[in-house]
Amino acid sequence: MMKRTSTAVWRGTGPKGTGAISSSGLDGKAATNPEELIAAAHASCFTMATSFQITKAGKEPTKLETTATVSMEKQDIGWTIVGIHLELTGQVPGITAAEFQTFAENAKTGCPISRALASVPSITMTAKLT
């Protein structure tokens, strides 16, 4: 099994926040590969979608950070993405852990990149307030 990761950080509301993406290839220290770019796209899309979910509920996230890990296996047809795990941590004043989980679940199923990756056998997620 081979794993590739990227991290997205978003600060503020969905419409007015700012963010950054990093991975081993995007930080200029090493070459990137397509799997890291998929992880970067998924992490950033999911994080922004979570911010929009929270903003829509009238709250403002201080910081949301997601690491997306793309898992690949060598199969008969070649290397294949078999799973993606999204690990979200967030600082959001005034919401409960259950509300945060609901916002994250809605973002996981609703973000455009999650929908585009619907053929991936397993997309999992953990969400934790800090």
Side-chain angles (χ1 to χ4, degrees), residues 11-125:
R11 298 179 195 286
T13 64
K16 296 181 181 177
T18 59
I21 304 167
S22 64
S23 76
S24 62
L26 295 175
D27 64 12
K29 296 177 185 168
T32 193
N33 58 49
E35 296 79 21
E36 286 175 342
L37 296 175
I38 289 171
H42 204 182
S44 59
C45 184
F46 166 74
T47 305
M48 288 181 67
T50 302
S51 181
F52 274 92
Q53 290 281 324
I54 293 167
T55 301
K56 186 177 177 182
K59 304 294 181 182
E60 185 170 333
T62 304
K63 179 182 177 185
L64 300 174
E65 182 171 336
T66 303
T67 298
T69 302
V70 173
S71 298
M72 299 183 354
E73 288 181 354
K74 180 83 170 186
Q75 298 181 347
D76 290 341
I77 60 170
W79 285 99
T80 302
I81 295 175
V82 295
I84 300 171
H85 180 70
L86 302 166
E87 186 171 336
L88 170 67
T89 58
Q91 299 168 357
V92 186
I95 69 168
T96 66
E99 289 171 317
F100 188 63
Q101 185 71 34
T102 299
F103 295 137
E105 285 292 339
N106 290 340
K108 177 181 156 273
T109 58
C111 91
I113 301 299
S114 287
R115 291 193 318 268
L117 296 171
S119 66
V120 173
S122 173
I123 297 178
T124 58
M125 188 258 322

